[in-house]
Amino acid sequence: MHQQDPDEIPLSELLGNSGESVPRVVSVARQGGFGAPSIQVAKKSSSAALSEDELPLALLIGTERKKECSRRKGKVEPCRKAPKRKCERMKAEKHRKAKKLQATSTKHRAEDESIKWCSLEHNGVLFPPEYEPHGRPLLYDGCEIALPPEAEEVATFYASKLGTVYLEKETFRKNFFDDFRKTLPVDLRKRIVKLEHCDFSRIREYLDELKERKQSMPPSKRKELREAEAQRVAHYTVAIVDGRKEKVANYRVEPPGLFLGRGDHPLMGRVKRRIFPEDVTLNLGRDAPIPPCPFKGHDWGSIVHNQRVTWLACWRDPISDEYKYVWLSASSHFKAMSDQEKFEKAQQLSKHITKIRNEYTKGLESADRHTQQRSVALYLIDKLALRVGNEKGEDEADTVGCCSLRVEHITLQEPNIVQLDFLGKDSMRYFNRVRVEALVFHRLREFLKGKRVSDNVFDELKVEELNDYLKSLMPGLSAKVFRTYNASYTLDKLLHSVKTPGPDIHSRLLFYNEANKDVAVLCNHQRSLPKTHSLMLERLRDKLEESRAYLEALKMARGKAQASPDSRAQVTRWRRPVVEIPEDCSLAERKRIREEAEKRPKEKQVVNMGLASITRGIAQTQEKIRRLEADLKTRDSLATVSLSTSKINYLDPRITVAWCKRHEVPIERIFPRALQEKFMWSMGVSEDFRFPISNVVSNDPSGAST
DNA sequence: TGATTTGACTCAGAAAACTAGCT
DNA sequence: CAGCTAGTTTTCTGAGTCAAATC
């Protein structure tokens, strides 16, 4: 579908929260009749108008009849406000792509278009509550300005971001202010022209008050509210698929707000408008009752019965204009099946991997530039677990993957070291220096020759071509299978590298996490440093220091005690003085006092101890020191690594389950409840399970980094 | 294009760590 | 002085969220 130029959107539509200004479906025609599927073709609001060939596939599949009825009604509305350039560009693009799709991927589609369910029942989606105006003014040049509800809501979105890094970004502020002004009535729009003159602090105060009120709520009251909320939403949390009761993952419609985005996103700060029932398409069984629309005077955008997909509802994201879907949870049958297929495919790859590696190694020698590029790209994908790197649009952050690498991202260092430095998915930095095959190095040097920094390294390679090629090597193979394969292969190998991974559960878990960490590093799964990380490390070091000093003092005292007639001796210990915190001060105040206290000098304490106590103290302190040292080490090395992503997406759970069985580690120590449910299908695996290992010895991805 | 998977970040609540008071 | 308990604070975990990839 087209994306409207924001300037073309009437402001009432941009926001559309309060009832009056929303364009809505006037009536919903229910066709049907004798044995016919009941199909609704809703009249769309202008912003959602679809010409027939723009209808989502979902609306067209297997429904000759539907075409008929929409034609009969002649209700295909043209775009009321034809959004120019963008609309046309996107249409042309779509035609091109649609043709291509038809030509190239019939097989893929045939597989994709299998029937996924026979009966499907659910209760629709849960909308966020209506906006409730608070009446706090905006200050403009110091003057109070009462905003109408739509504008107030947007101003409040902004106020909630005060003090975050978003506001330091020019793009964010500009996008916000442009959209904000569109919500203002004409007179105010004339007056409010500079963001720098806007003061949102009164609104912020209101938000802080709300927060404070919420936080000071007694736990009992909190619990009560939580339970009431659970009851309110219970209706939406389950669906019935082919008679099975399944959990719905994201039954909540995304609330309006400011679009944040990741990295340097050109649309950050834009207002993400509210979604209404008219925007939403529900997918239901033909016999399933249609859930009543929760808003009076509104109705669902459309109802479809598409058995070839697994989503329950969809709408278009107002920012990207892409579809958002409501899915079943990860523990559902659908998801479990595709998860199993995914790991099945990865195991398949291990049977072909030798052949494939030989293939692309041979390809490096080819005289054909295209084959060379394809081979080098595949080498990097396989060896470094890079993502394939599709093309990106102008309205997205500038991030890259393998095929979209530019000259500026690669530095070559004789004789054979390649340095990669680029922003990947989610604008996460990928930085790695690796030793590569001589020929790969040579080819890369050729690819870079004579190009500008902003040129593509793989200028003669398209992602589709690479994937088509992979399909020819093994059915269903695509670039991401290499990530799954290499991640699982690595974990399996590491977990089998040691017979007895530790005397107790604690050390075995440490061992597992270490292996998990290697995979996470391979996949470049990062997390941001927790705010207090350095402070925490400092405290740990301080404690370590203190314990070491205490140990020395104890040892010295032991000698003295042994020599003394009464077997006693003085032990000196340095500690920070205990602070008194007044009972009736606020949380913030307490925190401040605590922080103050940490700066105070340590005080000397002298205790008279018996020999037995001293000896015990020594053992305890030594143990404590060991613990602190280990802690310090793991925390530091795990600080910026995220283990969960690979656990959830890349590691065949059977590897973990088998390891747990072999080493008597309860599975819940590694898989939290949700993951246990997601991976239920893997729990029965035998303890001898191996993730198939290829007979190729070279190219071990876990050893790729230098 | 549309469907589906992957990914980092947030925040609430749980768990761990710490402290004071008592025996 | 050690050990226990209860209360408090700090840290960690993980479920939820929604953006951003793939194919």
Side-chain angles (χ1 to χ4, degrees), chain A residues 491-510:
Chain A
L491 180 74
D492 186 85
K493 193 193 68 175
L494 290 173
L495 291 186
H496 278 89
S497 68
V498 168
K499 282 244 158 54
T500 34
D504 53 15
I505 293 256
H506 187 71
S507 54
R508 277 176 249 170
L509 286 173
L510 229 54

Side-chain angles (χ1 to χ4, degrees), chain A residues 243-403:
Chain A
R244 291 185 310 269
K245 206 168 175 186
E246 304 260 36
K247 279 199 232 165
V248 182
N250 55 331
Y251 52 87
R252 284 174 202 273
V253 171
E254 292 175 15
L258 300 184
F259 175 74
L260 300 181
R262 314 262 161 85
D264 248 333
H265 200 296
L267 301 182
M268 63 166 79
R270 289 270 302 269
V271 172
K272 185 164 106 169
R273 60 156 259 257
R274 188 174 287 267
I275 301 298
F276 288 91
E278 285 73 17
D279 301 311
V280 176
T281 297
L282 296 183
N283 193 21
L284 289 159
R286 291 186 198 285
D287 301 328
I290 294 173
C293 178
F295 294 163
K296 240 193 173 148
H298 290 255
D299 206 344
W300 301 111
S302 64
I303 306 289
V304 298
H305 314 288
N306 188 348
Q307 292 166 272
R308 289 163 172 81
V309 295
T310 64
W311 51 264
L312 310 185
C314 73
W315 65 88
R316 276 184 182 273
D317 180 74
I319 294 291
S320 65
D321 200 35
E322 305 207 330
Y323 282 98
K324 284 280 169 78
Y325 298 91
V326 173
W327 308 106
L328 292 179
S329 79
S331 59
S332 67
H333 182 65
F334 289 159
K335 299 288 187 190
M337 290 293 282
S338 63
D339 235 25
Q340 275 172 272
E341 279 164 26
K342 174 175 73 184
F343 292 115
E344 213 48 54
K345 214 183 267 177
Q347 295 207 22
Q348 281 278 321
L349 175 54
S350 75
K351 291 192 193 126
H352 294 77
I353 194 74
T354 313
K355 187 186 79 190
I356 290 171
R357 284 173 180 164
N358 288 338
E359 221 1 82
Y360 70 62
T361 307
K362 209 169 74 198
L364 295 171
E365 293 170 12
S366 166
D368 171 41
R369 181 52 76 99
H370 177 260
T371 309
Q372 290 171 4
Q373 294 202 347
R374 196 181 66 194
S375 303
V376 173
L378 193 46
Y379 174 89
L380 294 177
I381 286 171
D382 183 21
K383 176 141 178 153
L384 302 182
L386 298 192
R387 294 185 190 86
V388 67
N390 282 298
E391 266 180 64
K392 298 196 72 185
E394 268 172 36
D395 273 354
E396 295 172 282
D398 174 25
T399 62
V400 300
C402 186
C403 293

Side-chain angles (χ1 to χ4, degrees), chain A residues 561-624:
Chain A
Q562 277 162 349
S564 88
D566 64 348
S567 290
R568 299 185 75 80
Q570 306 249 310
V571 182
T572 312
R573 187 168 200 177
W574 292 84
R575 307 183 93 167
R576 298 210 190 278
V578 178
V579 268
E580 299 282 328
I581 296 177
E583 258 180 40
D584 56 344
C585 66
S586 70
L587 279 171
E589 182 70 5
R590 276 161 185 260
K591 205 168 184 171
R592 202 188 54 75
I593 293 175
R594 244 158 232 294
E595 275 163 23
E596 274 303 304
E598 254 180 69
K599 289 180 200 144
R600 278 197 242 165
K602 291 186 176 178
E603 280 174 5
K604 190 173 174 179
Q605 291 177 340
V606 180
V607 195
N608 192 291
M609 287 170 81
L611 184 56
S613 298
I614 293 172
T615 317
R616 199 165 344 113
I618 286 174
Q620 280 175 357
T621 313
Q622 278 171 336
E623 175 56 30
K624 193 173 172 187

Side-chain angles (χ1 to χ4, degrees), chain A residues 645-668:
Chain A
T645 306
S646 51
K647 216 184 254 181
I648 295 169
N649 299 299
Y650 289 108
L651 299 175
D652 189 327
R654 290 170 295 189
I655 301 169
T656 300
V657 172
W659 181 84
C660 283
K661 287 183 178 175
R662 267 180 280 134
H663 300 291
E664 293 176 335
V665 174
I667 192 70
E668 62 268 23

